[in-house]
Amino acid sequence: MALRTILHYPDPRLRRTAQPVAAVTDAIRALIADMAETMYGAPGIGLAAVQVDEPYRVVVIDISESRDQLQVFVNPEITSREGEQQMEEGCLSVPGIYEPVTRAARIKMRALDREGKPFELETAGLLATCIQHEVDHLDGKVFVDHLSRLKQSRIRKKLEKQSRLAM
């Protein structure tokens, strides 16, 4: 396992659409392990492969308090959305920024697990929000895309300034 570098907004690599995983191989399982270690180390509750500059449709999530209930989603596909909820979201690729985002309250989805076995899931609340957030990453979107253009501009300028000051 190895810690990976997390790309930061507005890095253009975050805008790439991830490619489906053809088969869950040892290389994909190694990526999953690296992503989990990176997410826990950041610390965060979700991470998509594109955030660590890997072009695959792979997501890891752990919303547990104990940080020991890793969920893996390979080729996740949201099949239905119901209702609406607003939650404050943050993102490891948009450090220090937290904004309310409206998403579906309940979702149904399907994916493969870390062994390549298909499964389906119905969920609501924080996990539903987290899955939608990470699937957005796989589709080349960042949570700030759900905000007004003015907020997007302010966030971009703030992060660019922080990046310049860090050099």
Side-chain angles (χ1 to χ4, degrees), residues 7-16 50-51 89-95 97 101 103 132-147 152 155-156 159:
L7 301 177
H8 288 161
Y9 177 82
D11 191 308
R13 292 173 288 179
L14 291 169
R15 297 298 183 183
R16 293 182 302 185
V50 295
Q51 291 178 271
E89 292 187 26
C91 181
L92 295 175
S93 290
V94 190
I97 305 295
V101 175
R103 296 189 186 270
Q132 291 171 85
H133 177 112
E134 300 306 335
V135 168
D136 271 0
H137 276 300
L138 300 179
D139 295 334
K141 299 176 188 160
V142 182
F143 91 96
V144 297
D145 295 343
H146 294 274
L147 307 176
Q152 289 177 35
I155 290 167
R156 180 185 305 266
L159 293 175

Side-chain angles (χ1 to χ4, degrees), residues 28-159:
I28 293 295
R29 282 188 280 278
L31 170 63
I32 290 166
D34 288 355
M35 288 172 61
E37 184 176 349
T38 302
M39 177 188 71
Y40 289 131
I45 62 171
L47 188 67
V50 295
Q51 291 178 271
V52 292
D53 202 20
E54 292 288 348
Y56 304 110
R57 295 189 75 79
V58 177
V59 167
V60 296
I61 294 174
D62 188 342
I63 60 170
S64 69
E65 290 291 325
S66 54
R67 312 294 286 145
D68 62 357
Q69 296 175 30
L70 183 69
Q71 297 181 70
V72 174
F73 304 89
V74 178
N75 297 336
E77 179 186 350
I78 297 171
T79 57
S80 76
R81 302 170 196 254
E82 295 178 21
E84 236 181 48
Q85 68 182 355
Q86 187 176 71
M87 286 192 177
E88 187 170 83
E89 292 187 26
C91 181
L92 295 175
S93 290
V94 190
I97 305 295
Y98 300 89
E99 291 287 338
V101 175
T102 301
R103 296 189 186 270
R106 291 171 303 287
I107 64 166
K108 291 180 185 177
M109 55 96 56
R110 62 179 162 236
L112 303 175
D113 67 14
R114 74 177 85 203
E115 301 307 319
K117 293 184 178 78
F119 70 94
E120 293 186 4
L121 175 70
E122 285 185 46
T123 190
L126 179 58
L127 183 56
T129 292
C130 203
I131 290 168
Q132 291 171 85
H133 177 112
E134 300 306 335
V135 168
D136 271 0
H137 276 300
L138 300 179
D139 295 334
K141 299 176 188 160
V142 182
F143 91 96
V144 297
D145 295 343
H146 294 274
L147 307 176
S148 71
R149 292 214 186 273
L150 178 61
K151 281 190 177 179
Q152 289 177 35
S153 176
R154 287 181 178 162
I155 290 167
R156 180 185 305 266
K157 287 177 184 171
K158 180 178 180 178
L159 293 175

